[in-house]
Amino acid sequence: MEAFFYGIILAFGLILPLGVQNVFVFSQGATQPTIWRALPASVTAAICDTMLILLAVFGLSLIVLQFEWLRITLMSIGILFLLYMGYTIWRSSPATADPSEALPVKKQILFALSVSLLNPHAILDTIGVIGTSALKYSGTEQIIFTTACVLISWLWFFGLTLTGASFQKLDSSGNLMRIFNKCSAIFIWATACYLAFGFLKPT
């Protein structure tokens, strides 16, 4: 049980801080006409997190990150996707104003993939914290630890979607959601600039 509770606490510690992934999943819950239309974003984000956690625990991602060309490619594509996603969210209208302008399923999945798998900081956090912490366990305890981390990830993203949908009901005019969209876009652009600055900064 110690491994299970430790996994829960650790996963919460990593996933709670405001990040592009959280902002995007919440925004889909708040802008889609129904909560069911927002599920592609939350399910995709949860699946990606599950993959990263499994890779971190079993150490495969440590091998991947040893290739400098792969790191550069990951950073470059991630920055471009964030810039484009910020532009799309800035221009989007709340579903209460025009349901046809809510992100379609394909774009939800694409954006959720980009903020989950093309975010170097998220990947490094998962590997450095969860991957390293998993080393203290073996056998059944390691499986329990991993299961706890994955469970928290799924519950968190579905919770964000539900919270976003509730926010939409409280904002029948759509004005608050428009402000949230603008703030989200600025936050995403700022993240892209931060990544670009760190990427281009001489070492």
Side-chain angles (χ1 to χ4, degrees), residues 3 6-8 10-11 14 48-63 65 122-151:
Y6 182 62
I8 288 176
L10 195 64
L14 284 178
C48 289
D49 260 27
T50 300
M51 289 172 55
L52 289 176
I53 290 169
L54 293 176
L55 286 172
V57 170
F58 294 109
L60 296 178
S61 49
L62 291 173
I63 299 173
L65 289 178
I123 294 174
L124 290 172
D125 282 347
T126 304
I127 294 170
V129 180
I130 291 181
T132 303
S133 298
L135 294 175
K136 66 185 289 189
Y137 301 112
S138 61
T140 303
E141 283 194 329
Q142 191 176 72
I143 293 174
I144 292 173
F145 170 80
T146 306
T147 301
C149 293
V150 170
L151 178 64

Side-chain angles (χ1 to χ4, degrees), residues 6 10 20 39 44 46 61-62 75 93 95 100 102-103 114 117 123 128 133 138 144-145 153 155 164 167 186 193:
Y6 182 62
L10 195 64
V20 176
L39 286 181
T44 302
S61 49
L62 291 173
M75 290 284 286
S93 299
S100 66
L103 284 182
S114 69
L117 300 179
I123 294 174
S133 298
S138 61
I144 292 173
F145 170 80
S153 178
L155 290 176
F167 182 84
I186 292 171
C193 291

Side-chain angles (χ1 to χ4, degrees), residues 10 12 24 54 94 98 107 110-111 113 126 132 134 139 175 179:
L10 195 64
F12 259 127
F24 177 70
L54 293 176
D98 187 357
K107 274 196 173 182
L110 179 64
F111 286 171
L113 283 171
T126 304
T132 303
N175 291 328
I179 296 173

